[in-house]
Amino acid sequence: MASVLGDELKLLSTWFSPFGSRVKLALQLKGLSYEYVEEDLSNKSQLLLESNPVHKKVPVLFHNGKALCESMIIVNYIEEAFPDAGPSLLPSDPYERAIARFWVAFIENKVLHYPHALFASIYPQCYSRFHRY
Ligand SMILES: N[C@@H](CCC(=O)N[C@@H](CS)C(=O)NCC(=O)O)C(=O)O
């Protein structure tokens, strides 16, 4: 995998997170090397609490030590911060890009949340008390 000179990427996530997998896929498609740190959501690390104080959720991507939260924001950031690495994650045509974003929203609302909700009901200790499930 290509590493961008001087850039250090670290992903904080957990193995079952579809949102973390989304970021892993983007990094891998771009050919960017990164350090992976597994988070234990039943005993959240200081790193997670400090880097995502609003939601306290994974994934969090650290780029040269700066934290980014929310998987789609991270994916868009990867695209913008590394335009020359690997293929573009979205089509260049604005209409095609809008269509791709439509399907991202569809998958987010209709597909991703179901296995996630099931997992949350099995392992409630991994999810916030005020989580929407
Ligand atoms: N909208 C967030 C969702 C992230 C999310 O729900 N992460 C779960 C793991 S799959 C989490 O960290 N849960 C911990 C909690 O709810 O306290 C994103 O896209 O990054």
Side-chain angles (χ1 to χ4, degrees):
M1 238 180 237
S3 78
V4 183
L5 210 62
D7 281 289
E8 191 187 293
L9 291 165
K10 179 160 83 176
L11 176 63
L12 182 62
S13 189
T14 192
W15 63 270
F16 59 81
S17 172
F19 304 100
S21 300
R22 174 186 265 171
V23 175
K24 282 183 199 165
L25 267 175
L27 289 166
Q28 283 164 16
L29 277 169
K30 284 289 210 182
L32 296 167
S33 53
Y34 62 96
E35 179 192 348
Y36 177 75
V37 178
E38 177 71 17
E39 176 69 25
D40 175 4
L41 289 179
S42 63
N43 180 26
K44 291 179 182 173
S45 67
Q46 207 51 33
L47 183 62
L48 176 61
L49 300 178
E50 281 169 9
S51 56
N52 191 355
V54 175
H55 298 299
K56 304 176 180 65
K57 290 181 182 186
V58 292
V60 179
L61 182 74
F62 298 88
H63 182 197
N64 295 333
K66 289 191 285 187
L68 296 136
C69 307
E70 285 295 316
S71 58
M72 274 320 294
I73 291 174
I74 299 173
V75 169
N76 288 329
Y77 176 82
I78 291 169
E79 178 78 323
E80 288 171 10
F82 302 100
D84 301 328
S88 180
L89 299 175
L90 282 171
S92 55
D93 178 72
Y95 181 77
E96 294 300 325
R97 210 157 50 228
I99 298 297
R101 287 188 170 128
F102 171 89
W103 288 111
V104 167
F106 179 86
I107 289 168
E108 176 110 19
N109 295 327
K110 305 275 185 219
V111 183
L112 274 189
H113 283 295
Y114 288 105
H116 194 222
L118 177 68
F119 196 89
S121 67
I122 300 169
Y123 297 104
Q125 75 275 17
C126 294
Y127 290 83
S128 309
R129 212 168 132 220
F130 302 110
H131 202 279
R132 67 176 135 153
Y133 300 123

